[in-house]
């Protein structure tokens, strides 16, 4: 029987955090890996971020995931940043060691790995990135790292698109950019448009769906966003956002354990498990909405 101090402690901090799938995802991984570890979601208000990180260190946590709204502010509490966190300007993973707190961004690697799972290599492809927030920054960096040929950016607030274009050397999308992309180019929705409860929203007009492009979403709730349904309806290949969530978690765990993890044998089982949790959460949400009406 292991003593409690041998058990590895992990968690995710965010605000709000109630809808996070991460504790289900990590519990599944720990069981399959036979890892004596636990992972919980903690609601941490921005004013408590420093205390939460110091507290986790004091309690001997091995690491934390960090989500909205802390991904950028957390950088100032880290002793060192890995290249992805420094380039993206945001971190989703903290690694605690005797040398201090290291911040990493595994969202970027998660995005690339998710596409790979669908047999899509970003090398030499053109990308149109929709959005200019934290998720878009991670995708932009991922695409640059993976060798994308040209990356265009479009965003509701043009100044934010311009800023990202300047810092990453991207091109601003023009009115006809989608129509002039070569076949096999990828359109990535890195906005929050289409996310529950606004699931009827979509970031593109109907004329912007082509059957020779690939449409990827970072949104995973709902899994089949309207954006992906529109793309599928016109015969295009689509990639949902759940895989990115899975792969960023696997990369974080690899950083914490300092060893590679092979999830291929149970990747599909993990996806099904998470889909069930998503379904249950959305049914609960609907019941609550009905009660609230
Ligand atoms: P995250 O860190 O998750 O990316 P964020 O920084 O709030 O979150 O960014 C959200 C992105 O979705 C932004 O690109 C935002 O556009 P603005 O920069 O104009 O705010 C985009 N977004 C959110 N709601 C939108 C909407 N209704 N229509 C178009 N874009 C929207």
């Amino acid at each position: 029987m292991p003593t409690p101090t041998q058990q590895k402690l992990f968690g995710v901090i965010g605000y709000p955090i109630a809808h996070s799938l991460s504790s289900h995802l990590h519990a599944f991984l720990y069981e399959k890996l036979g890892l004596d570890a636990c992972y919980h979601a903690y609601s941490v208000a921005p004013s408590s971020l420093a205390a939460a990180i110091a507290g986790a260190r004091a309690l001997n946590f091995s690491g934390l995931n960090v989500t909205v709204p802390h991904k950028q502010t957390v950088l100032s509490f880290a002793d060192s940043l890995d290249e992805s966190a420094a380039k993206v300007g945001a971190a989703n993973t903290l690694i605690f060691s005797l040398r201090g707190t290291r911040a990493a961004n595994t969202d970027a690697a998660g995005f690339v790995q998710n596409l790979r799972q669908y047999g899509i290599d970003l090398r030499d492809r053109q990308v149109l990135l929709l959005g200019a927030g934290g998720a878009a920054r991670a995708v932009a960096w991922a695409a640059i790292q993976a060798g994308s040929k040209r990356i265009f950016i479009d965003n509701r607030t043009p100044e934010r698109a311009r800023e990202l274009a300047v810092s990453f050397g991207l091109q601003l999308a023009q009115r006809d950019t989608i129509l002039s992309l070569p076949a096999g180019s990828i359109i990535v929705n890195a906005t929050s448009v289409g996310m529950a409860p606004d699931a009827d929203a979509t970031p593109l007009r109907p004329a912007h769906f082509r059957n020779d492009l690939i449409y990827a979403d970072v949104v995973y709730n709902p899994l089949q966003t309207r954006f992906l349904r529109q793309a599928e309806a016109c015969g295009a290949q689509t990639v949902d956002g759940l895989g990115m969530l899975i792969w960023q978690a696997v990369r974080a765990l690899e950083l914490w354990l300092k060893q590679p993890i092979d999830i291929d044998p149970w990747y599909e089982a993990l996806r099904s498990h998470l889909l069930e949790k998503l379904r249950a959460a959305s049914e609960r949400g609907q019941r609550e909405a009905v009660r609230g009406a």
Side-chain angles (χ1 to χ4, degrees):
M1 184 78 177
T3 63
T5 49
Q6 284 174 312
Q7 187 178 55
K8 287 194 178 299
L9 305 177
F10 303 110
V12 56
I13 55 175
Y15 194 73
I17 195 69
H19 298 292
S20 172
L21 278 183
S22 291
S23 49
H24 301 299
L25 208 171
H26 278 267
F28 185 99
L29 292 174
Y30 303 164
E31 196 203 321
K32 293 292 180 194
L33 293 167
L35 189 66
D36 183 20
C38 78
Y39 185 112
H40 292 295
Y42 301 95
S43 173
V44 174
S47 57
S48 302
L49 183 58
I53 294 168
R57 285 200 63 107
L59 290 168
N60 225 8
F61 273 54
S62 300
L64 284 177
N65 279 137
V66 179
T67 188
V68 178
H70 305 312
K71 285 187 177 187
Q72 282 152 351
T73 45
V74 78
L75 296 187
S76 58
F77 300 106
D79 300 301
S80 65
L81 313 182
D82 79 352
E83 190 190 12
S84 59
K87 294 286 186 188
V88 173
N92 69 331
T93 304
L94 299 178
I95 305 127
F96 300 143
S97 74
L98 293 175
R99 275 175 293 157
T101 298
R102 187 163 173 78
N105 188 311
T106 68
D107 287 330
F111 176 74
V112 172
Q113 186 61 36
N114 186 32
L115 288 180
R116 259 190 220 133
Q117 188 86 18
Y118 288 83
I120 302 163
D121 192 337
L122 281 161
R123 175 165 299 280
D124 295 332
R125 279 186 207 264
Q126 296 198 19
V127 175
L128 170 61
L129 178 58
L130 308 175
R137 290 185 70 88
V139 170
W141 172 241
I144 291 167
Q145 284 289 93
S148 289
K149 205 168 168 187
R150 273 168 105 186
I151 305 169
F152 296 92
I153 178 164
D154 199 2
N155 190 51
R156 176 179 61 180
T157 310
E159 303 85 72
R160 288 187 85 192
R162 230 169 277 132
E163 249 171 57
L164 197 55
V166 169
S167 64
F168 282 141
L170 317 180
Q171 287 176 254
L172 291 173
Q174 306 299 322
R175 196 177 266 274
D176 63 346
T177 295
I178 292 192
L179 303 177
S180 57
L181 289 172
S185 298
I186 305 179
I187 316 249
V188 184
N189 176 36
T191 72
S192 46
V193 178
M195 193 185 285
D198 267 333
D200 271 345
T202 175
L204 287 184
R205 287 199 310 247
H208 288 157
F209 291 93
R210 286 173 39 188
N211 64 4
D212 58 348
L213 299 180
I214 300 165
Y215 293 79
D217 212 327
V218 303
V219 172
Y220 60 83
N221 184 20
L223 187 69
Q224 292 304 322
T225 56
R226 179 151 177 229
F227 169 72
L228 295 183
R229 282 187 275 122
Q230 285 174 297
E232 233 163 60
C234 89
Q237 184 177 1
T238 61
V239 179
D240 65 59
L242 189 60
M244 180 176 171
L245 180 81
I246 293 174
W247 289 110
Q248 63 76 31
V250 172
R251 294 287 166 253
L253 191 57
E254 288 180 333
L255 291 175
W256 291 330
L257 300 180
K258 298 181 182 63
Q259 66 184 58
I261 295 168
D262 176 16
I263 65 160
D264 284 354
W266 20 269
Y267 178 81
E268 287 306 327
L270 174 54
R271 258 185 82 91
S272 307
H273 179 68
L274 294 176
L275 283 175
E276 226 168 80
K277 298 290 176 194
L278 264 181
R279 221 169 286 129
S282 106
E283 275 167 22
R284 263 199 320 274
Q286 274 163 13
R287 276 204 305 274
E288 279 156 20
V290 168
R291 270 206 305 272

